[in-house]
């Protein structure tokens, strides 16, 4: 589809043009070392976020208009799917529901399942937990696509746990695992998720390893703050896609008591160092070059990335897997301040 190809090229050009440059070799003024850096970084992120959002808004409008005027075109289903993805990125949940419903009249198979998942996620974000649960359960009961079933089960369990219903979330995983006991490796996958849920409300696993500056990382030092353990890698597409949300959250809440400890699953040290410098990831990092065998990732049983663990001011694990819009909401909740609507 020509309009999609052009959009991808345009998006790449926009993001490349606005990407933060390498750190300047010039020394900061002696009177106020690095005084302007946080403000400049925050301003740069805000500008990029505004430009990206504006581009997405315009593209969403164009795709919506295309679908309305070319309802019988062969590619209208593809246009609607992309419109749903953009609406999700913009947190326009009503548009997600409207466009996904329309897309379901033009798609089938895996594409249709993706739209059902989008609908369920939008209902959850709107606070309609009952509607979301019903939508997720419908995907599970459909039984035609195992990947979609697993995605729906884990999303439903996440939603329940985030709502303080940990036991219900664990039951959802357990029941599904038992119903699919013949699927190789599925039980272990669900068990690893369940073990993560069990960590909520408990003390985090102590680190003690040295950060890249050679200083020991002691989680006890962060008591009274909200700290996120962020497992990521430069080669991980979803991690880099989530990075703007992480940077924005850090810029907004760092001065209010939020901090990050990055745990890199990279093996290429040069790529890791270039990324954290270029993207102004100024928080502390742990890197051991062992990839999936990273010492901290092994201790936490991390099997996929990005993976996040939010530790509350009381020093207990408060949330696992917070990403996107939910990340800011969880940080604001833990800091005791309401998140502003976007």
């Amino acid at each position: 589809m020509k309009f999609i190809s052009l959009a991808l090229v345009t998006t790449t050009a926009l993001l490349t043009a606005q990407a933060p440059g390498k750190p300047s070799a010039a020394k900061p003024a002696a009177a106020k070392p690095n005084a302007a850096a946080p403000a400049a970084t925050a301003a740069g992120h805000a500008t990029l976020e505004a430009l990206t959002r504006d581009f997405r808004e315009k593209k969403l409008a164009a795709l919506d208009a295309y679908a309305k005027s070319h309802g019988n075109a062969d590619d209208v289903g593809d246009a609607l799917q992309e419109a749903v993805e953009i609406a999700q990125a913009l947190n326009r949940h009503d548009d997600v529901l409207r466009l996904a419903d329309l897309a379901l009249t033009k798609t089938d198979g895996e594409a249709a399942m993706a739209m059902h998942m989008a609908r369920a996620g939008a209902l959850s974000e709107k606070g309609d937990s009952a509607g979301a649960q019903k939508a997720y359960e419908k995907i599970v009961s459909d039984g035609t696509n195992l990947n979609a079933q697993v995605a729906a089960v884990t999303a439903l369990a996440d939603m329940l746990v985030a709502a303080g219903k940990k036991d219900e979330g664990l039951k959802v995983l357990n029941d599904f695992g038992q119903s699919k006991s013949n699927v190789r490796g599925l039980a272990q996958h669900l068990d690893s998720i369940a073990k993560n849920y069990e960590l909520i409300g408990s003390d985090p696993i102590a680190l003690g390893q040295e950060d890249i500056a050679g200083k020991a990382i002691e989680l006890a030092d962060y008591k009274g703050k909200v700290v996120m353990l962020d497992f990521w890698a430069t080669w991980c597409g979803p991690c880099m896609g989530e990075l703007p949300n992480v940077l924005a959250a850090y810029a907004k809440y760092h001065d209010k008591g939020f901090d990050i400890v990055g745990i890199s699953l990279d093996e290429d040290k040069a790529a890791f160092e270039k990324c954290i410098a270029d993207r102004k990831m100024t928080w502390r990092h742990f890197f051991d070059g062992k990839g999936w065998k990273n010492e901290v990732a092994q201790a936490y049983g991390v099997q996929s990335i990005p993976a996040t663990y939010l530790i509350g001011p009381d020093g207990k694990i408060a949330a696992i897997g917070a990403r996107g819009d939910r990340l800011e909401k969880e940080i604001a909740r833990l800091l005791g301040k309401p998140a502003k609507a976007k």
Side-chain angles (χ1 to χ4, degrees), residues 187-219:
Q188 293 88 333
H189 172 69
L190 297 177
D191 283 346
S192 68
I193 295 173
K195 287 178 181 177
N196 264 338
Y197 291 153
E198 294 287 6
L199 292 175
I200 294 176
S202 67
D203 293 323
I205 299 170
L207 302 186
Q209 288 89 345
E210 293 184 352
D211 63 18
I212 57 175
K215 183 178 179 180
I217 303 171
E218 302 292 350
L219 294 180

Side-chain angles (χ1 to χ4, degrees), residues 10 13 18 20 23 27 35 37 42 62 82 85 104 114-115 120 127 133 143 159 170 174 190 210 223 266 277 294 318:
T10 307
Q18 296 298 320
K27 294 182 179 179
E82 188 171 7
E85 292 172 3
L104 284 169
M115 294 301 95
Q133 182 164 349
M159 183 185 77
L170 290 169
N174 183 63
L190 297 177
E210 293 184 352
K223 198 160 187 180
D266 282 288
N294 175 287

Side-chain angles (χ1 to χ4, degrees), residues 196 205 207 209 231 263-265 286 288 290-303 309:
N196 264 338
I205 299 170
L207 302 186
Q209 288 89 345
F231 294 83
I263 313 294
S264 169
L265 273 65
F286 172 70
D288 62 11
K290 297 180 181 180
W292 283 107
K293 294 183 179 179
N294 175 287
E295 293 177 9
V296 180
Q298 292 275 298
Y300 275 81
V302 172
Q303 295 189 3
Y309 295 76

Side-chain angles (χ1 to χ4, degrees), residues 71-313:
N72 295 320
D74 292 339
D75 60 1
V76 70
D78 293 331
L80 286 166
Q81 290 178 65
E82 188 171 7
V84 168
E85 292 172 3
I86 295 173
Q88 286 178 307
L90 292 170
N91 295 313
R92 289 175 53 167
H93 310 307
D94 288 332
D95 282 333
V96 171
L97 292 171
R98 175 178 62 83
L99 292 165
D101 282 340
L102 186 56
L104 284 169
T105 67
K106 307 291 183 181
T107 57
D108 55 21
E110 290 189 7
M113 279 298 173
M115 294 301 95
H116 281 299
M117 282 293 295
R119 289 193 77 264
L123 289 169
S124 177
E125 290 293 339
K126 282 171 62 66
D128 184 359
S129 298
Q133 182 164 349
K134 185 177 180 180
Y136 284 130
E137 289 173 345
K138 184 178 185 302
I139 295 170
V140 176
S141 64
D142 178 80
T144 59
N145 186 311
L146 179 60
N147 288 335
Q149 287 180 297
V150 173
V153 163
T154 53
L156 174 56
D158 278 344
M159 183 185 77
L160 291 169
V161 172
K165 301 177 181 179
K166 184 169 70 174
D167 289 343
E168 289 185 37
L170 290 169
K171 185 176 186 304
V172 165
L173 294 177
N174 183 63
D175 288 351
F176 182 71
Q178 289 186 359
S179 72
K180 300 291 183 182
S181 58
N182 61 321
V183 179
R184 183 179 178 183
L186 180 59
Q188 293 88 333
H189 172 69
L190 297 177
D191 283 346
S192 68
I193 295 173
K195 287 178 181 177
N196 264 338
Y197 291 153
E198 294 287 6
L199 292 175
I200 294 176
S202 67
D203 293 323
I205 299 170
L207 302 186
Q209 288 89 345
E210 293 184 352
D211 63 18
I212 57 175
K215 183 178 179 180
I217 303 171
E218 302 292 350
L219 294 180
D221 294 343
Y222 292 94
K223 198 160 187 180
K225 293 186 175 184
V226 174
V227 61
M228 179 172 76
L229 300 184
D230 183 19
F231 294 83
W232 71 289
T234 60
W235 47 259
C236 167
C239 300
M240 301 311 292
E242 176 66 9
L243 183 55
N245 291 323
V246 176
L247 287 165
Y250 187 76
K252 183 173 182 178
Y253 291 107
H254 179 57
D255 290 343
K256 300 174 184 177
F258 172 61
D259 222 322
I260 301 173
V261 175
I263 313 294
S264 169
L265 273 65
D266 282 288
E267 295 181 9
D268 185 337
K269 188 174 183 180
F272 160 73
E273 290 179 337
K274 184 178 188 303
C275 182
I276 64 173
D278 287 354
R279 302 304 294 271
K280 305 294 191 295
M281 300 165 69
T282 57
W283 47 86
R284 299 176 72 186
H285 296 271
F286 172 70
F287 171 89
D288 62 11
K290 297 180 181 180
W292 283 107
K293 294 183 179 179
N294 175 287
E295 293 177 9
V296 180
Q298 292 275 298
Y300 275 81
V302 172
Q303 295 189 3
S304 63
I305 53 175
T308 61
Y309 295 76
L310 278 173
I311 301 169

